[in-house]
Amino acid sequence: NVPGLRSWEIGLYHNRLQPFQSERTNGSPGKTMALGTSVTPKDAVNTCYSLVFYYLSKFLGSSDKNIMGEEMVSVCVFQTDKLFLHAFFKWMLQNGHKDVLLRVKQDDLEKWLQEKQNEEPELLMTYYQIQRKNYEAGELARNRAWDTGLKLILSERIEYLELALSSFSAALDGDRNSTNLDQLKTETQRNLEIAKLQNSVKREMASASTKYEIDPDTMDRLESSLLGASVLLNDFAWPYEMHEICLRIFGVCSYDDSAHICKLWKSFLTSKFLPCTTRNEVVMKKLENFVQGTNIENIQISLSNGPVSQETLFEDGLWVTAVRDSVVGFGMDITGRGSEFVFPVEFIASCLEELR
């Protein structure tokens, strides 16, 4: 007799094999296996769970009984037994019913998904999206983008920032008076633009044409984490003479110091015709005066009366196309972004006139 076992439960549960020791006829101890007749409360609970899950699988897997299956799901999710709920959530995921489960709006499910983030990192995000919890989805995506504990490459972190931005935008559509949401959206937009500039820096430094030797640790820093604007500017874009990217960082950060902007523009334009050679001493002097005050370290301007490659001869004007395309492209891209201050038209025009 098992205490608490009802008459109708007899024979319902699986009997477990229990070892016991007996003596053989010769007196030596022996090990045999005997069927146990006792069951534990856990056996009863697991059998009940199995019955529920069995019929769930039948109903959810049948097109004509799917409605009944979803009704069973509705009943299951509002049980108060946490052990059953967790077993139910796990069974639904393991048996291909994720889409049904994530449509359920239930606090215990959300908490369970939060606890499972390390095992199933995308489940909670999908749940928030399905439930249209846009603010929560945005916060989760933004935190993952910046989480240094996650082994993500830069492109994956950019994807999370894009997801965060779209989520905050959707949340703001439903609550246009939220100052906090508006600030989050603006900050995330700025983070995303800086991250894309970081990706541009990474591509430039990884290219075969780069003039600098880059150590693996530096490249890993660019590839595996998000850098702040000041770090990207001071540790990478400025010392590696990426003038256009410096200007774009200024634009994203609303840094409107005209002296720095003009210095960058002169450096940017200078980089388009260096190295160069001229046959005219007057041109040589003007070019030397023009490059004063730039942040370019290795300035190569030479005077020659002998044979010179057309690619480097200043008078041949092949550099003009590169300058024109860079100036026009940058101007078109920056227009309408609220950062026109990084495109000082009068100063650029005076520089081009000086080079003409």
Side-chain angles (χ1 to χ4, degrees), residues 125-196:
M125 180 68 68
T126 306
Y127 175 78
Y128 284 147
Q129 291 172 325
I130 291 174
Q131 298 294 333
R132 297 186 180 180
K133 289 191 168 188
N134 295 308
Y135 172 79
E136 289 83 353
E139 278 284 81
L140 179 61
R142 190 169 71 102
N143 290 337
R144 286 185 180 172
W146 286 99
D147 191 346
T148 56
L150 295 178
K151 294 183 178 180
L152 301 174
I153 60 175
L154 181 58
S155 60
E156 291 172 325
R157 296 184 185 277
I158 289 175
E159 287 177 4
Y160 273 127
L161 286 176
E162 291 173 335
L163 180 56
L165 181 60
S166 64
S167 297
F168 287 141
S169 298
L172 197 58
D173 288 340
D175 187 7
R176 293 186 176 276
N177 296 322
S178 175
T179 303
N180 181 48
L181 264 176
D182 195 41
Q183 290 174 345
L184 274 174
K185 179 184 175 183
T186 301
E187 181 183 347
T188 304
Q189 175 70 55
R190 183 166 57 247
N191 293 155
L192 178 58
E193 291 181 17
I194 292 297
K196 289 181 176 180

Side-chain angles (χ1 to χ4, degrees), residues 10-25:
I10 297 175
L12 177 62
Y13 312 116
H14 294 291
N15 291 329
R16 294 172 301 150
L17 293 177
Q18 296 181 343
F20 74 99
Q21 285 191 340
S22 64
E23 290 189 353
R24 295 180 182 177
T25 55

